[in-house]
Amino acid sequence: MLYINNCIDVYKLDGFPGNSGADAGRVTTLAIIVCLHARYIEDDRETWPTLKRLKDTVADFGFASPRFIDDFVARLVQTQFLELRHHPADSRVRLLVPTEALLRWDREWMAAHFEPLSILFPKPGYALALDRSPAFQRAHGSASVPVLEGAVKVAWRNLAVVFFLAATSALSILFTLCRLGGETTDSAVREADLAALAPRFGVSRSHIRNMLLAAEQHGFLARHGDKGQFIVLTPLWIDAFDRFIADSLSYSDLTYRLGREALMRQQQL
């Protein structure tokens, strides 16, 4: 439940970069912007965090089209989460530079994902992420670029949940249903209870209804009550998302160890 609560909090509309609903395309784009920025070396063209490099990297995930990325980057610039700067040695090239607002959100995002791991494995723990260390953030981002393929595998190894990863705020909707008690057979949650939260997710009431219908069609949601007025998440949903969360945490552990090792090497220089 801690993982679910943390995700709901970090993906909420009033804090999510761009002030829009969260989905895998946006989350992936944000993560890669931070990683490319962390890996940037001014005199090494292969590391320049350009829009083209961002699109090429995000394309491997299959969650966002080039047009989608263009629109989202423009939104991030408009809302002051991202800046476009000319390269000092080549004014034709514009670099993607995350602002402190985006970097601060990314540190919160990391802490949200590492806190469950810190409970499962308190020793040696994940203090660098939980302390929201900017130095670790940069080392973690730089070290994560070579293993981004692992994140792609996590997503597509969990095909049952890919639709809900890609749809705007779909995970937050289902996670909120879970938090409201929607995993128990005596659930008293109604569809209207979630529809009323539409502004919190940055979507319409009809979008919420469509996501619940999709969950029902996937076998993740069932209805009960005399008139089928109550909704409940099924064991199939619990199994599918347990596997997804386990895979995600395993990948997070890998990137933490790589980031910690990279930070230690930097400190020894």
Side-chain angles (χ1 to χ4, degrees), residues 125-138:
Y126 302 84
L128 292 169
L130 297 182
D131 289 344
R132 297 158 176 78
S133 162
F136 173 73
Q137 177 186 37
R138 190 172 187 86

Side-chain angles (χ1 to χ4, degrees), residues 6-209:
N6 284 356
C7 283
I8 291 173
D9 185 57
V10 80
Y11 294 142
K12 61 186 178 183
L13 180 64
D14 61 355
F16 190 74
N19 304 126
S20 60
D23 55 50
R26 291 182 174 89
V27 173
T28 301
T29 300
L30 292 170
I32 293 175
I33 287 173
V34 173
C35 288
L36 293 179
H37 172 69
R39 201 170 177 79
Y40 168 56
I41 300 173
E42 185 175 307
D43 58 358
D44 184 354
R45 182 178 289 270
E46 293 303 312
T47 70
W48 292 359
T50 62
L51 182 58
K52 182 181 185 305
R53 179 158 286 113
L54 173 66
K55 290 179 179 179
D56 290 345
T57 308
V58 175
D60 291 337
F61 288 80
F63 287 128
S65 68
R67 176 63 181 272
F68 177 96
I69 296 172
D70 282 334
D71 291 344
F72 187 46
V73 164
R75 179 63 180 169
L76 292 173
V77 172
Q78 180 185 14
T79 53
Q80 300 181 339
F81 284 93
L82 186 68
E83 295 179 357
L84 299 179
R85 297 180 187 172
H86 291 291
H87 190 278
D90 190 342
S91 61
R92 297 169 301 175
V93 177
R94 291 201 297 177
L95 307 177
L96 306 175
V97 182
T99 66
E100 178 54 30
L102 176 49
L103 294 174
R104 184 168 56 249
W105 178 85
D106 181 70
R107 290 192 292 271
E108 293 299 326
W109 182 87
M110 284 200 301
H113 286 76
F114 285 115
E115 187 178 6
L117 278 169
S118 71
I119 293 175
L120 293 171
F121 307 104
K123 294 183 179 180
Y126 302 84
L128 292 169
L130 297 182
D131 289 344
R132 297 158 176 78
S133 162
F136 173 73
Q137 177 186 37
R138 190 172 187 86
H140 176 270
S142 178
S144 295
V145 172
V147 295
L148 283 174
E149 181 182 349
V152 178
K153 290 180 179 178
V154 167
W156 292 102
R157 191 163 52 234
N158 292 272
L159 287 175
V161 304
V162 163
F163 173 85
F164 300 96
L165 293 175
T168 302
S169 295
L171 274 186
S172 294
I173 292 166
L174 293 181
F175 282 172
T176 299
L177 173 57
C178 177
R179 187 161 71 176
L180 291 174
E183 276 191 338
T184 61
T185 54
D186 58 349
S187 166
V189 181
R190 302 170 186 262
E191 183 176 306
D193 297 329
L194 286 172
L197 300 177
R200 180 185 301 178
F201 301 130
V203 297
S204 65
R205 287 173 176 260
S206 61
H207 180 78
I208 292 179
R209 287 194 295 271

